[in-house]
Amino acid sequence: NVTIGSGANDGLLSGSAITDGTINAALNTGTNVTITTACCGLPGNMSVIGASIMKSGGARSTLTLTADGSLLIAMSSVIDSVNGFPLDVVLNGSVVEVLGSVYTSLGNFTINATNGALIGNTGMVDTANGNVNTSAKHFMLGAPADYFGAGSPVSSGSIFAGTGTVAISTTGVRTASGMAVEFQTGSEVTGSSL
């Protein structure tokens, strides 16, 4: 299991705890960063909790997070590209949950989930005209009241791609009761149960 949290640049991109400062330092030089839980044939989960992954310089780069098990971007976390430095973000896992915020500044955002993907609760993805691609067995935008336990409020997730393409490939799309999904020109949804 891997946890990405807040902290200074310790120069290490290995181990089970990685700081956002280390990731930021690499991204700001234009270096692609890939973090994975794959080890020794054992599945692992990844959690991004309280992290502020901020790209503020360097050439276009890609942040790829891959978990053999589940991947969580918690409410308290932000992945952000500021000052016009594009950041491509790729999230891979069995289940991928985005409850925090992701801003790519013209970069592309991709989710590849073998089972389910959720942009819900306070989750938001804003690519500022970059493309959004999701591939998941089940995709949910927003979360129904019972998703996070009894008494949880109905919430909505958001995807903003401006003039970029939003492509969702799934066998089923679900939104919270009363929530709407609006697709702009250039958006594409494919699947068997939409």
Side-chain angles (χ1 to χ4, degrees):
N1 295 330
V2 172
T3 300
I4 299 172
S6 179
N9 178 6
D10 59 15
L12 300 175
L13 274 174
S14 62
S16 61
I18 301 170
T19 65
D20 53 8
T22 301
I23 296 167
N24 296 345
L27 291 174
N28 288 333
T29 63
T31 301
N32 295 329
V33 174
T34 299
I35 301 171
T36 182
T37 62
C39 175
C40 317
L42 301 173
N45 300 318
M46 186 179 302
S47 299
V48 181
I49 300 174
S52 293
I53 299 172
M54 307 288 264
K55 177 174 176 55
S56 59
R60 183 182 195 124
S61 54
T62 301
L63 172 65
T64 303
L65 304 178
T66 301
D68 287 346
S70 65
L71 172 57
L72 168 67
I73 309 296
M75 283 192 313
S76 58
S77 296
V78 174
I79 299 173
D80 194 357
S81 180
V82 295
N83 301 326
F85 296 99
L87 174 65
D88 295 318
V89 176
V90 180
L91 306 177
N92 303 308
S94 174
V95 174
V96 176
E97 294 179 84
V98 178
L99 305 179
S101 302
V102 179
Y103 306 93
T104 66
S105 191
L106 300 173
N108 299 316
F109 175 79
T110 302
I111 291 178
N112 296 302
T114 53
N115 287 312
L118 165 72
I119 298 175
N121 206 10
T122 57
M124 183 176 73
V125 174
D126 186 343
T127 64
N129 300 328
N131 297 319
V132 176
N133 297 291
T134 65
S135 176
K137 186 174 182 182
H138 301 284
F139 177 77
M140 187 176 349
L141 183 61
D146 61 349
Y147 184 79
F148 294 103
S152 298
V154 173
S155 60
S156 62
S158 302
I159 300 174
F160 301 99
T163 60
T165 299
V166 176
I168 300 171
S169 178
T170 181
T171 58
V173 173
R174 179 178 177 192
T175 62
S177 177
M179 299 297 163
V181 177
E182 180 180 339
F183 295 99
Q184 302 293 326
T185 303
S187 299
E188 174 184 342
V189 179
T190 61
S192 61
S193 174
L194 303 175

Short mmCIF file of all heavy atoms in Angstrom, two decimals, residues 116-184:
data_model
loop_
_atom_site.label_atom_id
_atom_site.label_comp_id
_atom_site.label_asym_id
_atom_site.label_seq_id
_atom_site.Cartn_x
_atom_site.Cartn_y
_atom_site.Cartn_z
N GLY A 116 -14.75 -0.04 -11.04
CA GLY A 116 -15.56 1.16 -10.98
C GLY A 116 -14.75 2.43 -10.85
O GLY A 116 -13.64 2.43 -10.35
N ALA A 117 -15.36 3.53 -11.31
CA ALA A 117 -14.76 4.86 -11.17
C ALA A 117 -15.83 5.80 -10.64
O ALA A 117 -17.00 5.73 -11.04
CB ALA A 117 -14.24 5.36 -12.51
N LEU A 118 -15.44 6.68 -9.72
CA LEU A 118 -16.35 7.62 -9.10
C LEU A 118 -15.71 9.00 -9.07
O LEU A 118 -14.58 9.15 -8.61
CB LEU A 118 -16.68 7.19 -7.66
CG LEU A 118 -17.33 8.24 -6.76
CD1 LEU A 118 -18.77 8.47 -7.18
CD2 LEU A 118 -17.26 7.80 -5.30
N ILE A 119 -16.41 9.99 -9.59
CA ILE A 119 -16.07 11.38 -9.33
C ILE A 119 -17.26 11.88 -8.53
O ILE A 119 -18.34 12.10 -9.08
CB ILE A 119 -15.86 12.19 -10.62
CG1 ILE A 119 -14.70 11.61 -11.41
CG2 ILE A 119 -15.62 13.67 -10.30
CD1 ILE A 119 -14.46 12.24 -12.75
N GLY A 120 -17.10 11.95 -7.24
CA GLY A 120 -18.26 12.21 -6.41
C GLY A 120 -17.92 13.00 -5.18
O GLY A 120 -16.79 13.42 -4.98
N ASN A 121 -18.95 13.15 -4.34
CA ASN A 121 -18.85 13.90 -3.11
C ASN A 121 -18.35 15.30 -3.47
O ASN A 121 -19.08 16.03 -4.12
CB ASN A 121 -17.96 13.18 -2.11
CG ASN A 121 -18.29 13.52 -0.68
OD1 ASN A 121 -19.29 14.16 -0.42
ND2 ASN A 121 -17.46 13.11 0.23
N THR A 122 -17.15 15.66 -3.16
CA THR A 122 -16.64 16.98 -3.53
C THR A 122 -15.68 16.88 -4.71
O THR A 122 -14.89 17.78 -4.95
CB THR A 122 -15.92 17.63 -2.34
OG1 THR A 122 -14.88 16.75 -1.92
CG2 THR A 122 -16.88 17.90 -1.20
N GLY A 123 -15.71 15.78 -5.44
CA GLY A 123 -14.78 15.56 -6.54
C GLY A 123 -15.00 16.53 -7.69
O GLY A 123 -16.13 16.83 -8.06
N MET A 124 -13.90 17.03 -8.25
CA MET A 124 -13.99 17.92 -9.40
C MET A 124 -12.77 17.71 -10.28
O MET A 124 -11.65 17.58 -9.80
CB MET A 124 -14.05 19.38 -8.98
CG MET A 124 -14.21 20.29 -10.20
SD MET A 124 -14.42 22.02 -9.81
CE MET A 124 -12.78 22.45 -9.31
N VAL A 125 -13.02 17.68 -11.59
CA VAL A 125 -11.95 17.61 -12.59
C VAL A 125 -12.14 18.78 -13.53
O VAL A 125 -13.21 18.95 -14.10
CB VAL A 125 -12.00 16.27 -13.36
CG1 VAL A 125 -10.97 16.27 -14.49
CG2 VAL A 125 -11.79 15.09 -12.43
N ASP A 126 -11.11 19.60 -13.69
CA ASP A 126 -11.15 20.75 -14.59
C ASP A 126 -9.87 20.73 -15.43
O ASP A 126 -8.78 20.91 -14.91
CB ASP A 126 -11.24 22.05 -13.79
CG ASP A 126 -11.44 23.28 -14.67
OD1 ASP A 126 -11.20 23.20 -15.90
OD2 ASP A 126 -11.82 24.32 -14.12
N THR A 127 -10.03 20.50 -16.73
CA THR A 127 -8.87 20.40 -17.62
C THR A 127 -8.56 21.69 -18.37
O THR A 127 -7.56 21.74 -19.08
CB THR A 127 -9.07 19.27 -18.65
OG1 THR A 127 -10.17 19.62 -19.50
CG2 THR A 127 -9.30 17.93 -17.98
N ALA A 128 -9.41 22.70 -18.26
CA ALA A 128 -9.21 23.96 -18.99
C ALA A 128 -8.94 23.67 -20.46
O ALA A 128 -7.94 24.09 -21.02
CB ALA A 128 -8.08 24.78 -18.38
N ASN A 129 -9.82 22.95 -21.10
CA ASN A 129 -9.80 22.60 -22.52
C ASN A 129 -8.96 21.37 -22.86
O ASN A 129 -8.76 21.05 -24.02
CB ASN A 129 -9.40 23.77 -23.41
CG ASN A 129 -10.35 24.94 -23.27
OD1 ASN A 129 -11.54 24.74 -23.03
ND2 ASN A 129 -9.85 26.14 -23.39
N GLY A 130 -8.44 20.67 -21.86
CA GLY A 130 -7.80 19.39 -22.11
C GLY A 130 -8.87 18.31 -22.25
O GLY A 130 -10.06 18.54 -22.01
N ASN A 131 -8.48 17.12 -22.62
CA ASN A 131 -9.43 16.01 -22.82
C ASN A 131 -9.61 15.21 -21.54
O ASN A 131 -8.69 15.11 -20.72
CB ASN A 131 -8.95 15.10 -23.94
CG ASN A 131 -8.88 15.81 -25.27
OD1 ASN A 131 -9.76 16.59 -25.61
ND2 ASN A 131 -7.83 15.57 -26.01
N VAL A 132 -10.80 14.62 -21.38
CA VAL A 132 -11.11 13.74 -20.26
C VAL A 132 -11.49 12.38 -20.85
O VAL A 132 -12.37 12.29 -21.70
CB VAL A 132 -12.28 14.28 -19.41
CG1 VAL A 132 -12.66 13.29 -18.32
CG2 VAL A 132 -11.94 15.64 -18.82
N ASN A 133 -10.79 11.33 -20.42
CA ASN A 133 -11.09 9.98 -20.88
C ASN A 133 -11.25 9.07 -19.67
O ASN A 133 -10.37 9.02 -18.81
CB ASN A 133 -9.94 9.44 -21.75
CG ASN A 133 -9.76 10.26 -22.99
OD1 ASN A 133 -10.60 10.25 -23.88
ND2 ASN A 133 -8.68 11.02 -23.05
N THR A 134 -12.38 8.37 -19.61
CA THR A 134 -12.57 7.39 -18.54
C THR A 134 -12.94 6.06 -19.15
O THR A 134 -13.72 6.00 -20.10
CB THR A 134 -13.66 7.81 -17.53
OG1 THR A 134 -14.92 7.82 -18.19
CG2 THR A 134 -13.38 9.15 -16.93
N SER A 135 -12.37 5.02 -18.61
CA SER A 135 -12.70 3.66 -19.02
C SER A 135 -12.89 2.86 -17.74
O SER A 135 -11.94 2.69 -16.96
CB SER A 135 -11.58 3.07 -19.86
OG SER A 135 -11.87 1.72 -20.18
N ALA A 136 -14.11 2.42 -17.48
CA ALA A 136 -14.41 1.70 -16.26
C ALA A 136 -15.62 0.80 -16.50
O ALA A 136 -16.48 1.11 -17.32
CB ALA A 136 -14.72 2.67 -15.13
N LYS A 137 -15.67 -0.30 -15.78
CA LYS A 137 -16.82 -1.19 -15.87
C LYS A 137 -18.09 -0.43 -15.46
O LYS A 137 -19.13 -0.53 -16.08
CB LYS A 137 -16.61 -2.43 -15.00
CG LYS A 137 -17.69 -3.46 -15.14
CD LYS A 137 -17.33 -4.72 -14.37
CE LYS A 137 -18.40 -5.77 -14.57
NZ LYS A 137 -18.07 -6.99 -13.80
N HIS A 138 -17.98 0.37 -14.39
CA HIS A 138 -19.07 1.22 -13.92
C HIS A 138 -18.51 2.60 -13.63
O HIS A 138 -17.44 2.73 -13.06
CB HIS A 138 -19.70 0.66 -12.64
CG HIS A 138 -20.23 -0.72 -12.80
ND1 HIS A 138 -21.40 -1.00 -13.46
CD2 HIS A 138 -19.73 -1.91 -12.42
CE1 HIS A 138 -21.60 -2.30 -13.46
NE2 HIS A 138 -20.60 -2.88 -12.84
N PHE A 139 -19.25 3.63 -14.03
CA PHE A 139 -18.83 5.01 -13.80
C PHE A 139 -19.93 5.74 -13.07
O PHE A 139 -21.10 5.67 -13.47
CB PHE A 139 -18.51 5.71 -15.13
CG PHE A 139 -18.14 7.15 -14.96
CD1 PHE A 139 -16.87 7.50 -14.51
CD2 PHE A 139 -19.04 8.16 -15.22
CE1 PHE A 139 -16.51 8.82 -14.33
CE2 PHE A 139 -18.70 9.49 -15.06
CZ PHE A 139 -17.42 9.81 -14.61
N MET A 140 -19.58 6.46 -11.99
CA MET A 140 -20.57 7.22 -11.24
C MET A 140 -20.08 8.65 -11.09
O MET A 140 -18.94 8.90 -10.70
CB MET A 140 -20.79 6.61 -9.86
CG MET A 140 -21.94 7.27 -9.13
SD MET A 140 -22.42 6.59 -7.51
CE MET A 140 -21.59 5.07 -7.36
N LEU A 141 -20.97 9.58 -11.42
CA LEU A 141 -20.70 11.01 -11.25
C LEU A 141 -21.65 11.48 -10.17
O LEU A 141 -22.87 11.39 -10.32
CB LEU A 141 -20.95 11.76 -12.56
CG LEU A 141 -20.65 13.25 -12.56
CD1 LEU A 141 -19.20 13.53 -12.25
CD2 LEU A 141 -21.03 13.86 -13.91
N GLY A 142 -21.10 11.97 -9.06
CA GLY A 142 -21.92 12.28 -7.90
C GLY A 142 -22.11 11.01 -7.10
O GLY A 142 -21.76 9.92 -7.54
N ALA A 143 -22.62 11.14 -5.91
CA ALA A 143 -22.78 9.97 -5.04
C ALA A 143 -24.18 9.97 -4.45
O ALA A 143 -24.64 10.98 -3.94
CB ALA A 143 -21.74 9.98 -3.94
N PRO A 144 -24.87 8.84 -4.53
CA PRO A 144 -26.20 8.77 -3.91
C PRO A 144 -26.08 8.84 -2.39
O PRO A 144 -25.00 8.60 -1.84
CB PRO A 144 -26.72 7.40 -4.37
CG PRO A 144 -25.50 6.61 -4.66
CD PRO A 144 -24.47 7.60 -5.14
N ALA A 145 -27.18 9.15 -1.73
CA ALA A 145 -27.16 9.36 -0.27
C ALA A 145 -26.61 8.16 0.49
O ALA A 145 -25.99 8.32 1.53
CB ALA A 145 -28.56 9.69 0.21
N ASP A 146 -26.80 6.96 -0.01
CA ASP A 146 -26.37 5.78 0.73
C ASP A 146 -24.94 5.35 0.39
O ASP A 146 -24.42 4.42 0.99
CB ASP A 146 -27.32 4.62 0.48
CG ASP A 146 -27.39 4.20 -0.98
OD1 ASP A 146 -26.86 4.93 -1.85
OD2 ASP A 146 -27.97 3.15 -1.26
N TYR A 147 -24.28 6.02 -0.54
CA TYR A 147 -22.97 5.56 -0.98
C TYR A 147 -21.92 5.63 0.13
O TYR A 147 -21.11 4.75 0.29
CB TYR A 147 -22.50 6.36 -2.20
CG TYR A 147 -21.20 5.87 -2.77
CD1 TYR A 147 -21.16 4.74 -3.57
CD2 TYR A 147 -19.99 6.49 -2.47
CE1 TYR A 147 -19.98 4.26 -4.09
CE2 TYR A 147 -18.80 6.03 -2.97
CZ TYR A 147 -18.80 4.90 -3.79
OH TYR A 147 -17.62 4.43 -4.28
N PHE A 148 -21.95 6.72 0.90
CA PHE A 148 -20.96 6.90 1.96
C PHE A 148 -21.53 6.55 3.33
O PHE A 148 -20.97 6.89 4.34
CB PHE A 148 -20.42 8.33 1.96
CG PHE A 148 -19.64 8.65 0.72
CD1 PHE A 148 -20.20 9.40 -0.28
CD2 PHE A 148 -18.35 8.18 0.56
CE1 PHE A 148 -19.48 9.69 -1.44
CE2 PHE A 148 -17.63 8.45 -0.59
CZ PHE A 148 -18.20 9.21 -1.58
N GLY A 149 -22.66 5.86 3.38
CA GLY A 149 -23.25 5.46 4.65
C GLY A 149 -24.52 6.24 4.94
O GLY A 149 -24.82 7.26 4.32
N ALA A 150 -25.29 5.73 5.88
CA ALA A 150 -26.56 6.35 6.23
C ALA A 150 -26.36 7.80 6.63
O ALA A 150 -25.43 8.15 7.35
CB ALA A 150 -27.20 5.58 7.39
N GLY A 151 -27.26 8.65 6.17
CA GLY A 151 -27.21 10.06 6.52
C GLY A 151 -26.29 10.91 5.67
O GLY A 151 -26.21 12.11 5.87
N SER A 152 -25.59 10.31 4.72
CA SER A 152 -24.71 11.09 3.85
C SER A 152 -25.55 11.92 2.88
O SER A 152 -26.57 11.45 2.39
CB SER A 152 -23.80 10.16 3.04
OG SER A 152 -22.98 9.40 3.88
N PRO A 153 -25.14 13.16 2.62
CA PRO A 153 -25.91 13.98 1.70
C PRO A 153 -25.70 13.55 0.25
O PRO A 153 -24.67 13.00 -0.10
CB PRO A 153 -25.33 15.38 1.91
CG PRO A 153 -23.93 15.12 2.34
CD PRO A 153 -23.97 13.83 3.15
N VAL A 154 -26.72 13.79 -0.56
CA VAL A 154 -26.55 13.57 -2.00
C VAL A 154 -25.58 14.64 -2.49
O VAL A 154 -25.66 15.80 -2.09
CB VAL A 154 -27.90 13.69 -2.74
CG1 VAL A 154 -27.71 13.63 -4.24
CG2 VAL A 154 -28.84 12.59 -2.28
N SER A 155 -24.66 14.27 -3.31
CA SER A 155 -23.67 15.23 -3.77
C SER A 155 -23.45 15.07 -5.26
O SER A 155 -23.87 14.10 -5.86
CB SER A 155 -22.35 15.02 -3.03
OG SER A 155 -21.88 13.73 -3.25
N SER A 156 -22.80 16.05 -5.84
CA SER A 156 -22.54 15.98 -7.27
C SER A 156 -21.06 16.12 -7.54
O SER A 156 -20.36 16.87 -6.86
CB SER A 156 -23.30 17.09 -8.01
OG SER A 156 -22.86 18.34 -7.58
N GLY A 157 -20.57 15.36 -8.49
CA GLY A 157 -19.21 15.52 -8.96
C GLY A 157 -19.23 16.40 -10.19
O GLY A 157 -20.28 16.60 -10.80
N SER A 158 -18.09 16.93 -10.57
CA SER A 158 -18.05 17.84 -11.71
C SER A 158 -16.89 17.49 -12.62
O SER A 158 -15.81 17.16 -12.16
CB SER A 158 -17.86 19.28 -11.23
OG SER A 158 -18.89 19.65 -10.36
N ILE A 159 -17.15 17.60 -13.92
CA ILE A 159 -16.12 17.49 -14.94
C ILE A 159 -16.25 18.71 -15.84
O ILE A 159 -17.30 18.95 -16.41
CB ILE A 159 -16.27 16.21 -15.80
CG1 ILE A 159 -16.17 14.96 -14.94
CG2 ILE A 159 -15.22 16.19 -16.90
CD1 ILE A 159 -16.47 13.68 -15.70
N PHE A 160 -15.17 19.49 -15.95
CA PHE A 160 -15.14 20.66 -16.82
C PHE A 160 -14.00 20.47 -17.82
O PHE A 160 -12.85 20.38 -17.42
CB PHE A 160 -14.90 21.95 -16.02
CG PHE A 160 -15.93 22.21 -14.97
CD1 PHE A 160 -15.68 21.89 -13.65
CD2 PHE A 160 -17.15 22.76 -15.30
CE1 PHE A 160 -16.62 22.13 -12.66
CE2 PHE A 160 -18.11 23.01 -14.33
CZ PHE A 160 -17.85 22.69 -13.00
N ALA A 161 -14.34 20.41 -19.09
CA ALA A 161 -13.31 20.21 -20.10
C ALA A 161 -13.28 21.33 -21.13
O ALA A 161 -12.51 21.27 -22.08
CB ALA A 161 -13.50 18.86 -20.80
N GLY A 162 -14.10 22.36 -20.96
CA GLY A 162 -14.11 23.46 -21.92
C GLY A 162 -14.33 22.95 -23.33
O GLY A 162 -15.30 22.26 -23.61
N THR A 163 -13.41 23.24 -24.23
CA THR A 163 -13.53 22.77 -25.61
C THR A 163 -12.90 21.39 -25.79
O THR A 163 -12.90 20.86 -26.89
CB THR A 163 -12.86 23.75 -26.58
OG1 THR A 163 -11.49 23.88 -26.25
CG2 THR A 163 -13.55 25.11 -26.55
N GLY A 164 -12.35 20.80 -24.72
CA GLY A 164 -11.78 19.46 -24.80
C GLY A 164 -12.87 18.40 -24.92
O GLY A 164 -14.04 18.66 -24.69
N THR A 165 -12.49 17.20 -25.28
CA THR A 165 -13.41 16.08 -25.44
C THR A 165 -13.57 15.34 -24.12
O THR A 165 -12.60 15.11 -23.41
CB THR A 165 -12.88 15.10 -26.50
OG1 THR A 165 -12.78 15.80 -27.73
CG2 THR A 165 -13.79 13.91 -26.67
N VAL A 166 -14.81 14.98 -23.78
CA VAL A 166 -15.08 14.12 -22.64
C VAL A 166 -15.54 12.78 -23.19
O VAL A 166 -16.57 12.70 -23.86
CB VAL A 166 -16.17 14.70 -21.71
CG1 VAL A 166 -16.48 13.72 -20.58
CG2 VAL A 166 -15.72 16.04 -21.15
N ALA A 167 -14.77 11.72 -22.96
CA ALA A 167 -15.11 10.39 -23.46
C ALA A 167 -15.23 9.44 -22.27
O ALA A 167 -14.29 9.28 -21.49
CB ALA A 167 -14.05 9.89 -24.43
N ILE A 168 -16.41 8.84 -22.11
CA ILE A 168 -16.66 7.89 -21.03
C ILE A 168 -16.99 6.55 -21.66
O ILE A 168 -17.98 6.43 -22.39
CB ILE A 168 -17.81 8.36 -20.13
CG1 ILE A 168 -17.48 9.72 -19.50
CG2 ILE A 168 -18.12 7.32 -19.06
CD1 ILE A 168 -18.63 10.36 -18.77
N SER A 169 -16.17 5.55 -21.39
CA SER A 169 -16.41 4.21 -21.92
C SER A 169 -16.73 3.29 -20.74
O SER A 169 -15.89 3.08 -19.86
CB SER A 169 -15.17 3.70 -22.66
OG SER A 169 -15.39 2.39 -23.12
N THR A 170 -17.95 2.77 -20.69
CA THR A 170 -18.41 2.02 -19.52
C THR A 170 -19.57 1.11 -19.89
O THR A 170 -20.18 1.27 -20.94
CB THR A 170 -18.83 2.99 -18.40
OG1 THR A 170 -19.24 2.25 -17.26
CG2 THR A 170 -19.96 3.89 -18.85
N THR A 171 -19.88 0.17 -19.01
CA THR A 171 -21.09 -0.63 -19.19
C THR A 171 -22.26 -0.01 -18.45
O THR A 171 -23.38 -0.45 -18.60
CB THR A 171 -20.88 -2.08 -18.70
OG1 THR A 171 -20.50 -2.05 -17.33
CG2 THR A 171 -19.84 -2.79 -19.54
N GLY A 172 -22.02 1.02 -17.63
CA GLY A 172 -23.11 1.67 -16.92
C GLY A 172 -22.69 2.99 -16.32
O GLY A 172 -21.67 3.08 -15.67
N VAL A 173 -23.49 4.06 -16.56
CA VAL A 173 -23.25 5.36 -15.95
C VAL A 173 -24.35 5.59 -14.94
O VAL A 173 -25.52 5.37 -15.21
CB VAL A 173 -23.28 6.50 -17.01
CG1 VAL A 173 -23.20 7.86 -16.34
CG2 VAL A 173 -22.14 6.33 -18.00
N ARG A 174 -23.98 6.05 -13.75
CA ARG A 174 -24.96 6.31 -12.71
C ARG A 174 -24.68 7.68 -12.12
O ARG A 174 -23.54 8.05 -11.88
CB ARG A 174 -24.85 5.25 -11.61
CG ARG A 174 -25.81 5.45 -10.47
CD ARG A 174 -25.66 4.33 -9.46
NE ARG A 174 -26.54 4.57 -8.34
CZ ARG A 174 -26.47 3.91 -7.20
NH1 ARG A 174 -25.59 2.95 -7.05
NH2 ARG A 174 -27.28 4.18 -6.23
N THR A 175 -25.75 8.43 -11.88
CA THR A 175 -25.62 9.70 -11.18
C THR A 175 -26.50 9.64 -9.95
O THR A 175 -27.41 8.83 -9.86
CB THR A 175 -26.06 10.90 -12.05
OG1 THR A 175 -27.44 10.75 -12.37
CG2 THR A 175 -25.23 11.00 -13.31
N ALA A 176 -26.23 10.48 -9.00
CA ALA A 176 -27.06 10.56 -7.81
C ALA A 176 -28.45 11.01 -8.20
O ALA A 176 -28.64 11.73 -9.18
CB ALA A 176 -26.43 11.53 -6.81
N SER A 177 -29.46 10.58 -7.46
CA SER A 177 -30.84 10.94 -7.73
C SER A 177 -30.98 12.45 -7.81
O SER A 177 -30.50 13.18 -6.94
CB SER A 177 -31.73 10.38 -6.62
OG SER A 177 -33.07 10.78 -6.83
N GLY A 178 -31.62 12.92 -8.86
CA GLY A 178 -31.83 14.34 -9.03
C GLY A 178 -30.67 15.07 -9.68
O GLY A 178 -30.77 16.25 -9.94
N MET A 179 -29.56 14.39 -9.93
CA MET A 179 -28.42 15.02 -10.56
C MET A 179 -28.54 14.89 -12.08
O MET A 179 -29.08 13.92 -12.58
CB MET A 179 -27.11 14.38 -10.11
CG MET A 179 -26.85 14.49 -8.64
SD MET A 179 -26.68 16.21 -8.17
CE MET A 179 -26.89 16.07 -6.42
N ALA A 180 -28.01 15.85 -12.77
CA ALA A 180 -28.07 15.84 -14.23
C ALA A 180 -26.67 15.71 -14.80
O ALA A 180 -25.71 16.17 -14.21
CB ALA A 180 -28.72 17.12 -14.74
N VAL A 181 -26.60 15.07 -15.94
CA VAL A 181 -25.35 15.02 -16.69
C VAL A 181 -25.59 15.79 -17.98
O VAL A 181 -26.51 15.48 -18.72
CB VAL A 181 -24.92 13.57 -17.00
CG1 VAL A 181 -23.66 13.56 -17.85
CG2 VAL A 181 -24.72 12.79 -15.71
N GLU A 182 -24.78 16.80 -18.22
CA GLU A 182 -24.91 17.61 -19.42
C GLU A 182 -23.68 17.42 -20.27
O GLU A 182 -22.56 17.52 -19.80
CB GLU A 182 -25.05 19.08 -19.03
CG GLU A 182 -25.20 20.00 -20.23
CD GLU A 182 -25.34 21.46 -19.81
OE1 GLU A 182 -25.72 21.73 -18.66
OE2 GLU A 182 -25.07 22.31 -20.66
N PHE A 183 -23.91 17.11 -21.55
CA PHE A 183 -22.80 16.89 -22.46
C PHE A 183 -22.80 17.99 -23.50
O PHE A 183 -23.81 18.32 -24.08
CB PHE A 183 -22.92 15.52 -23.15
CG PHE A 183 -22.80 14.38 -22.19
CD1 PHE A 183 -23.92 13.73 -21.72
CD2 PHE A 183 -21.56 13.97 -21.74
CE1 PHE A 183 -23.81 12.69 -20.82
CE2 PHE A 183 -21.43 12.93 -20.84
CZ PHE A 183 -22.57 12.29 -20.38
N GLN A 184 -21.62 18.58 -23.70
CA GLN A 184 -21.45 19.63 -24.68
C GLN A 184 -21.02 19.03 -26.01
O GLN A 184 -20.67 17.86 -26.09
CB GLN A 184 -20.38 20.62 -24.19
CG GLN A 184 -20.68 21.24 -22.85
CD GLN A 184 -21.88 22.15 -22.87
OE1 GLN A 184 -22.13 22.82 -23.88
NE2 GLN A 184 -22.63 22.18 -21.80
#
